[in-house]
Amino acid sequence: MATQLKDRSAQAGGNAVKSRAWSAEELQLRDLLAARTFKRGDFTLASGRKSRIYFNVKTTMMHPQGAALCGRLLLAQLKGLNANYIGGLEMGAVPLLSVVSAFSAEDGSPLPSFFVRKQPKPHGTQLLIEGMDDLGGETLRGQHVVLIDDVATSGGSILKAVDQVEAAGGTMTDAIVILDREEGASEKLGARGITLHSLFTATDLGVTEADRALLD
């Protein structure tokens, strides 16, 4: 049964937002993310920019209940997107891809997955795209891929995966993340013809305008 609940941004004194209907599983995952993932403080992001807030989604998706909830909710988001494969950039996407692929098999619609390395290994097969039986003829050519990641900020990590999937002959129109920080990823991906879907936004977790103010 869905529960009607006000977003925490309104409760915390941020701009008023419309209420949203949450499923029981969404509420459980949002509470885990709020408790384990969302931190306030003084942080330096990968881009070098200073931020008052930080999201370490891995602390939730490596939690037993968090992993199960992420897998089920991501699989539900995939319905209707006509994916032949799911994939993403190491390393944030890797645990998610494994659990979603496993749940898809239990659901009766097995969905294979792969991940994209940032750099090829200097030994072995030296592949950028891992998880596929390339020597057995498995290929992304002509396959429709939905990309998955833990968090989207600018969209740069997802676009790195996009470039490699396109080079391998795959097609993409959608990407799904656990959390959209609402900092330009949707627009940047849209410019490449990719729609960004998210289970939650930063606003959903209670981020306010004061939180978003830049640090010196």
Side-chain angles (χ1 to χ4, degrees):
M1 179 181 295
T3 300
Q4 203 76 9
L5 189 69
K6 288 286 187 180
D7 286 329
R8 294 181 185 177
S9 56
Q11 297 173 357
N15 295 332
V17 294
K18 294 181 180 178
S19 58
R20 169 181 167 183
W22 302 88
S23 70
E25 287 190 332
E26 286 175 320
L27 284 170
Q28 291 171 36
L29 182 55
R30 193 181 74 161
D31 287 346
L32 273 176
L33 288 165
R36 295 177 63 86
T37 288
F38 177 30
K39 307 298 178 185
R40 288 183 171 93
D42 185 347
F43 305 100
T44 301
L45 304 180
S47 64
R49 182 170 63 84
K50 294 285 189 178
S51 176
R52 300 174 188 273
I53 55 176
Y54 185 69
F55 299 95
N56 185 358
V57 181
K58 295 172 186 64
T59 62
T60 294
M61 66 193 204
M62 302 302 288
H63 181 278
Q65 184 185 21
L69 290 168
C70 287
R72 293 191 190 102
L73 292 172
L74 286 170
L75 186 59
Q77 283 274 331
L78 282 160
K79 303 293 185 185
L81 297 184
N82 302 315
N84 302 122
Y85 283 86
I86 52 174
L89 188 71
E90 65 171 351
M91 78 123 357
V94 176
L96 297 172
L97 294 166
S98 296
V99 73
V100 173
S101 191
F103 277 139
S104 74
E106 288 186 356
D107 199 42
S109 301
L111 190 56
S113 63
F114 64 88
F115 71 90
V116 177
R117 289 188 179 278
K118 295 175 184 177
Q119 297 290 336
K121 292 193 300 184
H123 56 277
T125 56
Q126 300 180 328
L127 297 173
L128 275 172
I129 295 179
E130 291 279 12
M132 305 185 67
D133 184 12
D134 60 303
L135 296 179
E138 189 177 12
T139 175
L140 290 178
R141 187 164 303 281
Q143 302 297 319
H144 185 65
V145 174
V146 173
L147 296 169
I148 287 177
D149 210 342
D150 56 347
V151 62
T153 302
S154 68
S157 293
I158 294 173
L159 288 176
K160 289 178 182 177
V162 167
D163 291 340
Q164 293 303 319
V165 172
E166 286 183 343
T171 63
M172 294 147 294
T173 56
D174 300 275
I176 310 173
V177 295
I178 302 295
L179 177 69
D180 178 6
R181 284 186 57 126
E182 302 171 294
E183 295 183 18
S186 181
E187 294 77 9
K188 193 168 185 177
L189 292 171
R192 291 284 294 270
I194 296 172
T195 299
L196 179 64
H197 310 263
S198 65
L199 300 185
F200 302 96
T201 65
T203 300
D204 291 334
L205 296 190
V207 173
T208 67
E209 290 305 311
D211 290 326
R212 297 179 195 275
L214 295 177
L215 287 170
D216 295 334

